[in-house]
Amino acid sequence: GSEMCIRDRLKVELNTNKMGWVDNTTFIPFRCNEVNLELEPGINTWLDNINKKHGTIEEWIANIKEFIKEDETGIIRFMLAVGFSSCLLHIVNYRGTIYHLWGNSGIGKTGLLELVNSIYAPPSNIITFAATPISITILSERLSGIGLIIDEKQSSFDDSKIAMLLYSLAEGRTRMKATKESDLVVNKTFEINVITSGEEPLNERSHTGASRRTIEIYLDRIFKDDKASVRAVSYTHLRAHETRRHL
């Protein structure tokens, strides 16, 4: 009886260690419904960029419109749509997709990725394939429902590791592992669309399962001219910090 009485007086706090959907009405960090986001110290600073609002949606739209006007191929519109789409995967009960942009160096791939990344975070939140596979899968789980952008495929680790990483990202879950004490570490799941870029295609290195959920997009140019590409990079580096995370 006394235990029930004390329990009734205690305030219940709900915590999560990742972004995205907690239930059908709670989406971290935009609609929290009294759910607290608790992150590990090592990752807290990185994800805190997403958890803070800067600027207004009107400012962001006005800036992005300038690039949409020069979008002759439609790729900017398409990738912005992909950038917004991870939050819908839970609703439609669908696993994520890998969208890989590839083409020669200097055509504006990184500038485009930074434009997309400005939806939620500053350009500094873009990672490269030089990161370890474990760190990338951890970020994928923490950014569930938000999205992940990985640049510079040519800087990647060996082929076998990148193939396993791509398979994990396409499956939306990590691999189950055993510890030295023979305990099982349950695989973690995430609902995320991933955007990658590089100077070569992905499917040459990916498993069949991953390749079926990968969209390869070859680009010979993105922006109307070199000046537009420079403006994109300048915008995302100098102004996205004031207009990001507008939702």
Side-chain angles (χ1 to χ4, degrees):
S2 59
E3 182 179 336
M4 291 295 295
C5 182
I6 294 174
R7 187 181 300 174
D8 291 339
R9 294 179 183 179
L10 292 176
K11 181 181 178 181
V12 177
E13 289 191 357
L14 300 177
N15 301 304
T16 182
N17 67 347
K18 66 179 184 179
M19 306 281 185
W21 293 98
V22 177
D23 53 43
N24 290 334
T25 62
T26 305
F27 186 91
I28 306 296
F30 306 114
R31 186 181 291 176
C32 296
N33 292 341
E34 299 184 354
V35 177
N36 301 311
L37 178 63
E38 291 191 349
L39 301 169
E40 301 90 335
I43 202 171
N44 185 63
T45 302
W46 197 90
L47 291 185
D48 196 44
N49 287 328
I50 298 175
N51 203 28
K52 291 180 179 179
K53 183 176 181 178
H54 290 255
T56 67
I57 187 171
E58 290 79 16
E59 292 172 318
W60 186 84
I61 291 175
N63 289 324
I64 293 297
K65 275 185 175 180
E66 297 303 313
F67 299 102
I68 294 295
K69 291 177 182 178
E70 301 177 359
D71 187 16
E72 296 181 338
T73 64
I75 189 61
I76 298 177
R77 291 173 181 265
F78 178 72
M79 296 314 300
L80 285 171
V82 172
F84 279 107
S85 64
S86 289
C87 61
L88 301 175
L89 296 175
H90 175 80
I91 298 173
V92 299
N93 191 27
Y94 193 79
R95 280 183 292 184
T97 301
I98 300 172
Y99 298 85
H100 181 63
L101 308 176
W102 68 284
N104 293 331
S105 176
I107 63 172
K109 297 187 298 295
T110 299
L112 176 56
L113 295 187
E114 292 181 345
L115 277 180
V116 175
N117 202 61
S118 72
I119 296 171
Y120 297 110
S124 58
N125 271 45
I126 290 180
I127 62 174
T128 72
F129 275 102
T132 65
I134 293 177
S135 65
I136 293 176
T137 52
I138 289 174
L139 279 177
S140 299
E141 194 236 342
R142 299 298 189 269
L143 291 171
S144 182
I146 301 294
L148 181 67
I149 296 178
I150 314 174
D151 198 9
E152 302 289 348
K153 175 177 177 286
Q154 59 274 12
S155 66
S156 64
F157 27 83
D158 64 76
D159 288 1
S160 60
K161 289 184 178 180
I162 193 172
M164 291 303 300
L165 171 65
L166 294 173
Y167 185 76
S168 178
L169 293 176
E171 285 288 302
R173 61 184 178 184
T174 59
R175 290 185 296 165
M176 184 177 289
K177 300 178 181 179
T179 65
K180 293 180 180 179
E181 293 75 25
S182 298
D183 294 325
L184 287 178
V185 179
V186 179
N187 56 352
K188 299 179 180 179
T189 61
F190 40 87
E191 298 162 331
I192 194 169
N193 284 323
V194 180
I195 302 174
T196 65
S197 78
E199 297 177 14
E200 56 185 21
L202 278 181
N203 280 338
E204 293 179 354
R205 301 186 185 185
S206 58
H207 289 281
T208 302
S211 64
R212 289 175 180 173
R213 286 186 290 277
T214 300
I215 296 177
E216 303 261 15
I217 304 173
Y218 172 76
L219 300 167
D220 56 6
R221 66 184 176 87
I222 295 174
F223 299 98
K224 189 175 181 179
D225 51 43
D226 291 340
K227 292 182 179 179
S229 180
V230 171
R231 287 201 305 275
V233 175
S234 298
Y235 159 67
T236 52
H237 276 287
L238 300 177
R239 300 177 67 188
H241 289 275
E242 281 72 50
T243 58
R244 61 185 166 83
R245 225 233 81 176
H246 56 280
L247 300 178

